């Protein structure tokens, strides 16, 4: 296995996949040579400072991007699994995601140049040599970097699509479906794109505070309303339930999505003023999101019963209160999507302008390139949102294809690779070995079984068509009550 020093000192000419990650020094000198310059008149363009986050600001950014989608589906997940299994699974997935987050921080500490999962798996691939592919000799590092780097960007675009879908649900709920759902999606595309125009997270960290306040207040408003008014009337709840495999595992994948921000961890750590403060930010994230998840899931399910809607913000009793809650939730729906758009855009932009001054300087070319590229990403997100219009099913696909590896499987593999040869050297290493093996197994099961369950759920979905103008907001109170009564009689 290659050592850290070997990897860091290896010539870049031997690693084409790393060419899009030049150092600032490389780029500062690049424009003087003129070889890579696209805009010779802007050689003195301002250098962008990416190291702008303190640990608590980083934690706030992570809370904003993590809590929004996850908390909206968990009450219905608990309704599917039953109260006790739902609580246990939330706590288990919280522990696993916390541990895997620590593993990512440990890996980034060992290899500080890593800024995304493509870089991380390339580190592993460089110790595996090369293979023959279509008559060419291609390094395993190059293959790993391309596959996992673009997979990470694709996952983030899927999450952006989920936020656009939530935006359309929100606007339909607020406006009583005043116009076609696709129109709301286009309006959302414009809003998200404009907020994605800044190139750093400096301003996003402040917006994230508004996002955290937004989702916390919206959740507490929903919890307080259902606890006070018991709006739907189906107050029966089940300690546990016997359900089919598809429904059960789709619920598990939805819980996994609630802790799925790991794909952004490397990018956010890369903007920390002090990367060694990462455990503090992670602890802040996990304490806040797990607490909110448990409070929302338990209280809303307890008072609503098996008919709890998804997204859960529509569980309030009156139309006025539901609209007020959705209105309060708008910042978190938007800002969390913007953060994912920023990280995805940062990767794609780095690939487009590799070895160029435009990567770290504010030039005319970089401004136009960033604007067009982020617009394209949001257009792709809109296509995904309208093609998979069922909220829980879209989250299930996300979890199976991407969360399974970025949040669970790959962090475990990273530790096993870093500590190869010392797995059983001490009790601490033995514990860590077992924990990381569990992460890999969890990721594999979420991927294989979760994809099966999600595809089957989408195939069996009735009444929801892609690219439809129909109202996608949750059902009215009367319809929800009728559905809850039917479920209670089963």
């Amino acid at each position: 296995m290659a050592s850290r020093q070997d990897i860091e000192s290896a010539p870049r000419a031997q690693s084409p996949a790393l060419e899009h990650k030049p150092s600032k020094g490389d780029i500062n000198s690049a424009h003087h040579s003129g070889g890579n310059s696209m805009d010779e008149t802007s050689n003195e363009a301002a250098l962008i400072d990416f190291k702008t986050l303190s640990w608590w600001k980083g934690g706030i950014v992570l809370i904003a991007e993590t809590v929004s989608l996850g908390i909206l589906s968990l009450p219905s997940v608990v309704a599917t699994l039953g109260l006790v299994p739902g609580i246990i699974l939330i706590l288990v997935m919280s522990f696993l995601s916390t541990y895997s987050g620590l593993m990512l921080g440990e890996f980034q500490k060992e290899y500080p140049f890593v800024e995304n999962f493509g870089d991380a798996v390339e580190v592993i691939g460089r110790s595996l040599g090369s293979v023959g592919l279509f008559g060419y000799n291609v390094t395993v590092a190059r293959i790993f970097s391309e596959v996992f780097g673009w997979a990470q960007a694709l996952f983030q675009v899927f999450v952006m699509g989920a936020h656009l879908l939530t935006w359309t649900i929100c606007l339909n709920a607020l406006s009583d479906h005043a116009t076609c759902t696709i129109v709301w999606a286009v309006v959302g595309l414009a809003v998200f794109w404009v907020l994605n125009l800044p190139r750093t997270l400096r301003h996003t960290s402040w917006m994230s505070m508004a996002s955290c306040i937004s989702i916390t207040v919206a959740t507490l408003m929903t919890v307080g309303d259902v606890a006070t008014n018991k709006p739907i009337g189906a107050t029966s709840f089940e300690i546990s339930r016997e359900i089919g495999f598809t429904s059960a595992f789709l619920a598990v994948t939805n819980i996994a999505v609630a802790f799925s921000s790991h794909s952004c961890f490397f990018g956010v750590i890369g903007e920390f003023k002090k990367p060694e403060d990462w455990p503090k930010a992670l602890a802040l994230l996990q304490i806040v999101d797990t607490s909110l998840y448990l409070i929302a899931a338990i209280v809303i399910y307890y008072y609503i019963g098996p008919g709890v809607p998804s997204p859960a913000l529509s569980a309030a009793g009156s139309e006025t209160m539901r609209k007020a809650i959705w209105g309060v939730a708008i910042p978190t729906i938007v800002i969390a999507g913007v953060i994912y758009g920023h990280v995805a855009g940062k990767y794609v932009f780095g690939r487009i302008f590799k070895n160029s001054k435009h990567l770290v300087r504010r030039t005319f070319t970089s401004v136009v390139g960033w604007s067009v590229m982020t617009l394209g990403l949001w257009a792709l997100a809109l296509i995904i949102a309208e093609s998979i219009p069922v909220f829980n099913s879209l989250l299930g696909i996300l979890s199976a294809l991407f969360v399974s590896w970025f949040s669970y499987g790959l962090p475990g593999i990273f530790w096993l690779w870093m500590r190869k040869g010392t797995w059983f050297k001490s009790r601490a290493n033995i514990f860590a070995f077992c924990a990381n093996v569990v992460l890999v197994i969890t990721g594999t099961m979420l991927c294989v079984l979760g994809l099966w369950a999600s595809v089957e759920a989408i195939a069996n979905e009735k009444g929801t068509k892609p690219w439809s103008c129909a109202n996608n907001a949750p059902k009215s109170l009367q319809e929800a009550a009728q559905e809850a009564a039917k479920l209670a009689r089963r």
Side-chain angles (χ1 to χ4, degrees), residues 466-490:
W467 295 94
S468 171
C469 280
N471 187 2
N472 62 355
K475 299 176 181 179
S476 68
L477 294 180
Q478 292 78 13
E479 291 173 322
Q482 293 172 3
E483 182 174 331
K486 291 180 182 178
L487 290 171
R489 289 195 295 268
R490 290 180 181 178

Side-chain angles (χ1 to χ4, degrees), residues 157 160 189 192-194 196-199 341 344-346 348-349 352-353 363-381:
V157 173
M160 292 157 64
L189 181 151
F192 285 93
W193 174 63
V194 168
N196 252 146
L197 291 179
R199 289 269 312 273
K346 190 176 177 181
V348 177
F349 191 82
I352 295 173
F353 292 102
T363 66
F364 175 79
T365 300
S366 71
V367 171
V368 173
W370 177 266
S371 301
V372 173
M373 182 270 302
T374 49
L375 179 61
L377 289 179
W378 280 109
L380 180 58

Side-chain angles (χ1 to χ4, degrees), residues 275-319:
E276 62 270 19
D277 286 341
W278 166 245
K280 298 178 185 178
L282 181 63
L284 176 61
L285 164 67
Q286 294 300 88
I287 291 172
V288 171
D289 66 9
T290 304
S291 300
L292 283 175
Y293 291 163
L294 288 173
I295 292 171
I298 294 170
V299 175
I300 293 175
Y301 172 59
Y302 177 83
Y303 285 107
I304 300 300
V308 61
S310 180
L313 296 183
S314 290
S318 68
E319 294 291 332

Side-chain angles (χ1 to χ4, degrees), residues 119-151:
D119 289 349
V121 295
E122 183 173 10
V123 169
I124 297 176
R126 292 188 68 170
S127 65
L128 301 178
S130 60
V131 295
L133 192 65
F134 302 113
Y136 295 92
N137 191 37
V138 182
T139 63
V140 176
R142 177 68 179 270
I143 297 173
F144 279 7
S145 176
E146 297 294 337
V147 170
F148 286 94
W150 287 107

Side-chain angles (χ1 to χ4, degrees), residues 143-325:
I143 297 173
F144 279 7
S145 176
E146 297 294 337
V147 170
F148 286 94
W150 287 107
Q152 173 182 310
L154 182 60
F155 163 66
Q156 287 154 354
V157 173
F158 264 79
V159 177
M160 292 157 64
H163 280 274
L164 266 181
L165 176 60
T166 309
W167 165 271
T168 63
I169 294 172
C170 175
L171 269 291
N172 276 327
L174 289 173
S175 68
D176 295 322
H177 189 47
T179 189
C180 174
T181 296
I182 298 175
V183 172
W184 288 134
V186 174
V187 171
L189 181 151
V191 172
F192 285 93
W193 174 63
V194 168
L195 292 176
N196 252 146
L197 291 179
R199 289 269 312 273
T200 75
L201 287 173
R202 176 185 299 173
H203 303 295
T204 307
S205 64
W206 292 105
M207 289 193 296
S208 296
M209 296 181 192
S211 175
C212 291
I213 295 172
S214 164
I215 192 61
T216 302
V217 172
T219 301
L220 294 179
M221 287 173 66
T222 306
V223 168
D225 186 83
V226 299
T228 303
N229 299 319
K230 302 180 182 179
I232 295 179
T235 57
S236 61
F237 66 93
E238 297 177 82
I239 298 298
S240 62
R241 298 188 64 204
E242 292 184 8
I243 55 176
F245 170 79
T246 299
S247 298
F249 216 85
L250 187 60
V252 174
T253 61
N254 276 217
I255 296 176
V257 168
F259 299 99
S260 66
S261 56
H262 294 60
S263 69
C264 294
F265 282 4
F266 284 135
V268 174
I269 296 173
E271 298 199 21
F272 271 33
K273 295 176 181 177
K274 296 180 179 180
E276 62 270 19
D277 286 341
W278 166 245
K280 298 178 185 178
L282 181 63
L284 176 61
L285 164 67
Q286 294 300 88
I287 291 172
V288 171
D289 66 9
T290 304
S291 300
L292 283 175
Y293 291 163
L294 288 173
I295 292 171
I298 294 170
V299 175
I300 293 175
Y301 172 59
Y302 177 83
Y303 285 107
I304 300 300
V308 61
S310 180
L313 296 183
S314 290
S318 68
E319 294 291 332
T320 301
M321 179 57 76
R322 282 197 289 169
K323 288 182 178 181
I325 291 171

Side-chain angles (χ1 to χ4, degrees), residues 26-35 37 40 43-44 357 361:
D26 295 335
I27 296 175
N28 287 343
S29 60
H31 75 266
H32 293 297
S33 67
S37 177
E40 294 299 330
N43 284 343
E44 302 305 320
K357 65 182 179 182
R361 292 189 179 274

